[in-house]
């Protein structure tokens, strides 16, 4: 007669144990996971833009890469554990990144080739900001209310994390798929109507070398415009609108 082996007590206890763990997931743990996913998405967008900015101005490109790394590392650390120092660091970091972005879109960065020139809001940076603002606000809420969302949320918590993950993946995908941003051509730094302004100049895309001279076309156009604007009115230099 064949004897069937009795099931292992350990094997039978795995599923109930996991179920209890999932049911015991708190809303706070879900919120931390959602913030981490959003921060990682913003980091991915920054990383995808770092290359184009690196060809434009090396310090700017490295700044994008550093921001990307810090956002991803912070998100991973937040999933593992929670501390006031970690939440405060995340809030301050996001506030700094958002502050620099706001400055670049209003008064223009104070340093670099495009200093003092306000940049237009693009799809990629707009989506990145849409991820960073909730992370900043969420970190502040968890920081100011340490007892909030402690009770188990179970299925609701898992749904929140799943919805956030899908939303961040879609947002990041759209942002990363955007073409490299364009810089103004000649007189890029000249303000409209001011000295050195050359009306009707084309936009020159960065990240390409169309003429094959080994120099990024956008950077080349920028410095050509700088030279032209600096020598406007001087003898021996072509003037804006001059033919030939």
């Amino acid at each position: 007669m064949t004897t069937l082996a009795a099931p292992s007590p350990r094997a039978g206890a795995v599923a109930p144990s996991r179920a209890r763990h999932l049911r015991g997931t708190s809303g706070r743990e879900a919120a931390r996971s959602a913030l981490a996913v959003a921060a990682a998405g913003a980091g991915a967008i920054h990383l995808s833009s770092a290359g184009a900015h690196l060809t434009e101005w090396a310090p700017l490109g490295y700044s994008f890469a550093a921001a990307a790394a810090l956002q991803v590392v912070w998100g991973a650390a937040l999933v593992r554990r929670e501390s006031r120092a970690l939440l405060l660091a995340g809030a301050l970091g996001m506030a700094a990144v958002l502050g620099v972005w706001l400055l670049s879109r209003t008064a223009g960065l104070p340093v670099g080739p495009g200093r003092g020139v306000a940049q237009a809001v693009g799809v990629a940076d707009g989506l990145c900001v849409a991820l960073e603002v909730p992370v900043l606000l969420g970190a502040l809420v968890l920081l100011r209310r340490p007892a909030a969302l402690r009770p188990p949320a179970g299925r609701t918590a898992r749904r929140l994390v799943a919805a956030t993950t899908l939303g961040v993946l879609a947002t990041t995908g759209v942002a990363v798929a955007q073409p490299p941003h364009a810089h103004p051509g000649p007189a890029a730094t000249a303000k409209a109507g001011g000295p050195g302004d050359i009306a009707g100049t084309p936009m020159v895309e960065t990240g390409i070398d169309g003429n094959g001279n080994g120099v990024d076309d956008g950077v080349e156009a920028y410095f050509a415009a700088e030279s032209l604007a600096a020598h406007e009115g001087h003898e021996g230099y072509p003037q804006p609108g001059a033919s030939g």
Side-chain angles (χ1 to χ4, degrees):
M1 183 175 61
T2 304
T3 303
L4 297 177
S8 169
R10 178 177 177 80
V14 172
S17 175
R18 179 172 177 78
R20 284 195 300 271
H21 170 72
L22 293 176
R23 287 196 300 270
T25 301
S26 70
R28 196 172 184 89
E29 290 172 321
R32 284 163 43 200
S33 298
L35 295 181
V37 170
I45 296 174
H46 276 130
L47 186 60
S48 69
S49 303
H53 288 92
L54 194 61
T55 60
E56 173 189 343
W57 189 46
L60 185 60
Y62 291 134
S63 297
F64 268 71
L70 290 174
Q71 287 174 327
V72 172
V73 169
W74 179 81
L78 189 64
V79 171
R80 291 177 59 87
R81 66 183 182 88
E82 178 183 336
S83 70
R84 290 186 59 83
L86 189 60
L87 290 171
L88 180 60
L92 292 176
M94 290 296 172
V97 172
L98 288 168
V100 172
W101 175 84
L102 183 60
L103 178 64
S104 70
R105 267 59 183 178
T106 52
L109 294 176
V111 295
R115 58 187 177 277
V117 178
Q119 301 178 31
V121 177
V123 174
D125 58 279
L127 291 174
C128 189
V129 168
L131 293 176
E132 291 169 339
V133 169
V135 174
L136 169 61
L137 297 178
L140 289 175
V141 169
L142 294 181
L143 185 64
R144 291 177 59 87
R145 301 183 62 185
L149 303 176
R150 292 291 184 186
R155 186 174 299 176
T156 301
R158 299 196 301 277
R159 287 175 176 172
L160 170 64
V161 175
T164 302
T165 302
L166 291 176
V168 170
L169 287 175
T171 300
T172 305
V174 172
V176 171
Q178 296 303 304
H181 69 284
H183 281 190
T189 57
K191 296 182 179 179
D197 180 45
I198 303 176
T201 55
M203 299 292 285
V204 179
E205 186 175 347
T206 61
I208 61 173
D209 180 19
N211 54 16
N213 64 351
V215 181
D216 185 288
D217 289 353
V219 176
E220 186 177 21
Y222 167 77
F223 283 106
E226 283 283 284
S227 176
L228 185 60
H231 294 290
E232 184 178 0
H234 295 180
E235 287 188 28
Y237 291 89
Q239 300 305 307
S243 59

